[in-house]
Amino acid sequence: MELALDWTAPWFAPVAHEGRAVAASLAGGEPWPQALGGAAPVRFVPQAELPAGTPYEQFIFDTGRVPTRENLHDFFNGLCWRRFPLTKQCLNRLQAAQIAADGVRDARGPVRDALTLFDENAALLQAPAPLWAALAARDWHRLFVTLRPLWAQARLVLFGHALLEKLVTPYKSITAHVFRAPVPASLGDDLAAWDAWLAQGLSAPVLAAKPFTPLPVLGVPGWWAANEDPAYYADAGVFRPRRTDAPTDTP
């Protein structure tokens, strides 16, 4: 199977090395579970190995095996396991702990909801304080136009595999949930260090507080040619102002 993806796109940068390698293996006829393996701390197996009635997250926790379908969603999930192994293991442990405490219910509850949101759609931001303040206030013009030069000092890393899947076919309204803990500048661009830092900082109480703020990712300078025009950010359907009755997000 061939995956014709643009690995030069900035949003794919954190997983591009792994992505190219896995895509080449798949193109050469290697089965998906073996192609996605490698450095991941889990083993990928066909979706059919997940027993009926067994929660996906519990199965991974109990067996160290990740049921995998042959589609883009699970492809990016595999890449994230390879790139952020400590954080993915942490998320899985927290999911299993919630299942052990509450069982499997129709409503997942706030912690499991936040865990799923993080896994599917989270992004990490390392940026100067003025950018964080503008993002928290959802002051899009200040964030992307007035403070545009500061983005040269920022790094946005997409973690969520559903988020990465959406960006295979980019469209303006794609929005990440940025984890409100700023990535320390001291970590530089060492994503293995980001992974270790993130895994140490995630917990059920942290996630229950819904520690996210929205960011339309194609507004990031350098990520989309159209955003060179300041008028790009005037689209209130995408760059939505904060409600006047909403509390300000605080990183």
Side-chain angles (χ1 to χ4, degrees):
M1 178 176 182
E2 292 192 18
L3 297 175
L5 304 180
D6 179 10
W7 293 113
T8 66
W11 44 84
F12 289 149
V15 296
H17 178 75
E18 290 81 4
R20 288 188 179 99
V22 174
S25 296
L26 293 174
E30 189 169 8
W32 280 64
Q34 286 78 12
L36 282 168
V42 290
R43 187 160 63 91
F44 298 92
V45 297
Q47 181 71 20
E49 291 198 17
L50 177 65
T54 300
Y56 170 82
E57 298 92 348
Q58 188 67 51
F59 181 79
I60 296 171
F61 182 76
D62 290 341
T63 70
R65 293 180 287 164
V66 179
T68 302
R69 302 160 297 184
E70 296 183 5
N71 61 26
L72 279 172
H73 189 84
D74 287 8
F75 171 76
F76 283 110
N77 184 46
L79 297 188
C80 289
W81 268 105
R82 291 167 63 116
R83 193 67 198 83
F84 301 100
L86 299 178
T87 300
K88 292 287 281 188
Q89 287 179 307
C90 175
L91 294 174
N92 182 244
R93 285 195 301 270
L94 291 171
Q95 285 276 18
Q98 291 298 307
I99 292 172
D102 300 330
V104 178
R105 301 179 295 180
D106 291 340
R108 283 178 166 241
V111 176
R112 290 196 69 200
D113 280 347
L115 283 162
T116 300
L117 182 61
F118 196 108
D119 198 29
E120 299 278 355
N121 209 61
L124 309 173
L125 180 61
Q126 182 187 73
L131 290 182
W132 271 105
L135 174 61
R138 301 184 203 177
D139 186 342
W140 306 116
H141 188 274
R142 180 169 173 76
L143 177 66
F144 290 127
V145 180
T146 307
L147 298 177
R148 198 173 188 87
L150 283 183
W151 280 94
Q153 304 173 37
R155 295 181 180 89
L156 179 69
V157 171
L158 306 189
F159 178 91
H161 55 281
L163 180 60
L164 291 166
E165 180 190 11
K166 291 175 188 175
L167 283 158
V168 171
T169 308
Y171 54 91
K172 187 176 182 179
S173 61
I174 294 175
T175 299
H177 286 76
V178 175
F179 185 48
R180 288 203 301 261
V183 178
S186 61
L187 300 184
D189 61 359
D190 182 353
L191 292 189
W194 286 40
D195 183 34
W197 165 81
L198 184 58
Q200 291 172 358
L202 291 175
S203 67
V206 166
L207 288 159
K210 299 180 180 179
F212 307 107
T213 193
L215 175 66
V217 296
L218 294 185
V220 174
W223 280 36
W224 199 240
N227 74 35
E228 292 294 330
D229 182 353
Y232 180 86
Y233 302 105
D235 184 351
V238 174
F239 300 97
R240 299 178 182 179
R242 172 172 291 282
R243 300 194 321 271
T244 57
D245 62 340
T248 300
D249 296 330
T250 302

